[in-house]
Amino acid sequence: MSSKPFKFKQFEIHQDRCAMKIGTDGVLLGAWVDLLEDTDSILDVGTGTGVIALMMAQRSSAQLIDAIEIDENAYEQAVENFEHSDWGDRLFCYHAEFGEFVEEMQDEEKYDLIISNPPFYNSDYKTASEARDMARFQDALPFRLLLEGATYLLSEKGRLAVIIPKSQEQDFLELAGDFNLFPEKITYVKGTPTSEIKRCLILLGLEPIEVLKEELTIEHKRHQYTTPYQKLVAPFYLKM
């Protein structure tokens, strides 16, 4: 297995000990989310390699950027990736399960933004790798736990940003409504102009407002990226 780091424009990621490698979903979410000027505290739930937290550090001046990771190997690697970046003083990773973290932190810390690329294959999906399954399984971080936990950890102006499969959008939004979290912006992502929508980028807030809905296509055809996609990820990918 190659242990060469994945190089971005302003940081690099070692990922040889992470079950879930860097993929389009995480980078898309980290590039897409609107960062308000007064976003002072950010939490990345299920950080994996640490890529989203590092993107938040590159994109914002938030003084507190926390991350949580349940898998020990991924946690250790995220910590190293944070330490080797230019923003090590603002990044901190907890080795914890989200429910435990919420119980510990709900009276200690509130976050202006919680961001998560949650696992979303349900438990009838199994591969040979237990760590990879854990990283991709909703069992490890079910939507209910993420949404309910967020309500305890969000500041008064706090927002929650996720990327999920299009097939789970309705269930997710209904569940969010149960916890008084309301969609502010939804971007539907498709691979090419003719392919179906595979993913939803969703930003939730604490007040019901009119939802801004958009569509994003990644490629015109193989390796010919659309201008909107290039614009989003250009601050990060070396070859954009």
Side-chain angles (χ1 to χ4, degrees):
M1 185 181 289
S2 163
S3 58
K4 278 170 73 172
F6 191 109
K7 289 187 189 307
F8 288 92
K9 283 181 177 164
Q10 294 190 35
F11 59 90
E12 60 181 38
I13 295 275
H14 289 266
Q15 53 179 353
D16 52 296
R17 286 181 283 147
C18 292
M20 288 305 288
K21 308 301 181 198
I22 286 169
T24 306
D25 284 3
V27 176
L28 205 48
L29 177 62
W32 169 86
V33 66
D34 297 325
L35 285 171
L36 306 177
E37 264 182 50
D38 57 354
T39 301
D40 296 323
S41 50
I42 298 172
L43 175 66
D44 176 15
V45 180
T47 197
T49 60
V51 64
I52 291 176
L54 282 157
M55 293 175 78
M56 296 300 94
Q58 179 182 323
R59 287 188 57 203
S60 78
S61 54
Q63 286 310 296
L64 179 73
I65 303 173
D66 286 343
I68 318 170
E69 177 51 52
I70 193 170
D71 178 81
E72 189 168 359
N73 287 326
Y75 157 74
E76 287 172 1
Q77 193 139 55
V79 168
E80 286 167 20
N81 287 331
F82 290 172
E83 286 171 352
H84 294 151
S85 77
D86 292 345
W87 313 290
D89 57 334
R90 294 195 282 141
L91 291 155
F92 188 83
C93 195
Y94 293 87
H95 181 213
E97 186 268 324
F98 185 54
E100 293 165 13
F101 181 85
V102 173
E103 279 179 35
E104 291 280 313
M105 298 296 277
Q106 59 182 334
D107 299 324
E108 304 285 320
E109 200 60 71
K110 294 284 186 263
Y111 296 96
D112 298 329
L113 175 67
I114 297 177
I115 188 165
S116 184
N117 173 14
F120 46 63
Y121 289 88
N122 40 27
S123 42
D124 52 350
Y125 171 94
K126 291 263 194 268
T127 68
S129 158
E130 199 176 320
R132 189 173 168 81
D133 283 350
M134 172 67 95
R136 299 189 85 157
F137 264 12
Q138 239 182 288
D139 303 6
L141 180 67
F143 289 155
R144 175 175 289 280
L145 177 63
L146 177 62
L147 289 160
E148 184 173 11
T151 63
Y152 288 101
L153 295 176
L154 285 171
S155 68
E156 284 177 16
K157 59 184 179 190
R159 297 164 315 139
L160 170 66
V162 297
I163 183 166
I164 61 169
K166 173 72 175 87
S167 60
Q168 296 182 17
E169 176 195 16
Q170 198 174 346
D171 289 349
F172 182 83
L173 290 176
E174 281 176 14
L175 203 50
D178 292 344
F179 295 108
N180 292 318
L181 289 165
F182 305 98
E184 294 184 358
K185 182 178 171 185
I186 301 176
T187 299
Y188 298 104
V189 183
K190 49 206 271 187
T192 65
T194 54
S195 59
E196 60 186 68
I197 293 164
K198 279 274 168 59
R199 296 278 185 270
C200 300
L201 291 150
I202 301 178
L203 184 67
L204 300 164
L206 298 167
E207 299 289 335
I209 60 168
E210 194 173 337
V211 189
L212 173 66
K213 292 192 176 184
E214 298 173 331
E215 205 169 274
L216 174 70
T217 303
I218 293 177
E219 298 174 309
H220 295 296
K221 53 186 180 190
R222 194 87 180 119
H223 300 312
Q224 288 187 9
Y225 297 104
T226 65
T227 305
Y229 176 72
Q230 287 187 56
K231 222 162 130 180
L232 258 189
V233 299
F236 304 100
Y237 283 134
L238 287 174
K239 293 196 168 92
M240 284 287 176

